[in-house]
Amino acid sequence: MAQNHPDEGAFREFLIAVLLHNEAVADHLGLQPVDVAAAVLLDMRGPLSAGAISEELGLPSASTTRLIDRLEKAGYARRVRGRRDRRTVTVELVEGGLDDYQAACASTRRHLEVLAARYGPEQAALLLDMFAHLATAYRSAARELREGPAPAR
């Protein structure tokens, strides 16, 4: 068994809870977890090309095409051709595209609001800063895993 920091268990429990929550939301919406991630990404970043979605989520282009197809079929997003260059295509959320997602996360927000009341503004700022750095670290680690050799068995 690998040597772990004594408090690492709490962080691992957090990661598992987030993964399970994303799966539960995806199941509730009839989507795949990566579809939910893509829809949230579109909400945060605005319209993106399929290539940008692929890069952000670390997916091969064929998987990204299927993901966009699922989001379109479910009514969450649409492909939009460029006005100046009709060959360019971006993907954007449809109006109200995240309404079902927001409704599915209502209980989550309620639980997080109770938790947030435990922290003052300085602590909250520190936690948000930590989350931003954790996101960068995990994205970098995921990129390294995808680009590196597969483990020998």
Side-chain angles (χ1 to χ4, degrees):
M1 181 172 220
Q3 182 74 347
N4 297 323
H5 187 277
D7 297 326
E8 188 174 324
F11 185 68
R12 286 177 163 193
E13 290 289 343
F14 165 74
L15 291 177
I16 291 167
V18 170
L19 289 170
L20 292 175
H21 177 268
N22 192 45
E23 279 195 28
V25 169
D27 286 346
H28 183 78
L29 298 175
L31 298 172
Q32 299 295 318
V34 72
D35 301 348
V36 174
V40 171
L41 186 68
L42 290 168
D43 185 50
M44 292 184 331
R45 307 262 201 285
L48 296 170
S49 68
I53 294 169
S54 179
E55 186 174 322
E56 286 274 357
L57 297 178
L59 297 173
S61 60
S63 297
T64 303
T65 298
R66 288 191 300 275
L67 177 152
I68 296 166
D69 290 344
R70 289 191 301 269
L71 288 177
E72 276 192 315
K73 184 177 178 183
Y76 290 95
R78 67 176 161 240
R79 289 175 171 93
V80 178
R81 293 212 174 270
R83 290 185 183 163
R84 296 188 345 161
D85 183 350
R86 303 280 297 152
R87 294 172 296 177
T88 63
V89 176
T90 58
V91 180
E92 66 182 21
L93 288 177
V94 298
E95 176 120 7
L98 281 187
D99 289 352
D100 290 344
Y101 171 81
Q102 296 297 344
C105 292
S107 66
T108 307
R109 279 191 300 284
R110 190 176 66 252
H111 290 287
L112 293 177
E113 286 168 4
V114 169
L115 177 62
R118 296 180 55 167
Y119 300 97
E122 287 180 9
Q123 291 170 308
L126 176 66
L127 289 170
L128 292 173
D129 179 68
M130 184 183 76
F131 288 146
H133 289 287
L134 282 168
T136 300
Y138 270 88
R139 282 180 181 270
S140 295
R143 195 170 18 261
E144 288 173 18
L145 284 169
R146 286 190 179 98
E147 292 170 359
R153 293 230 172 221

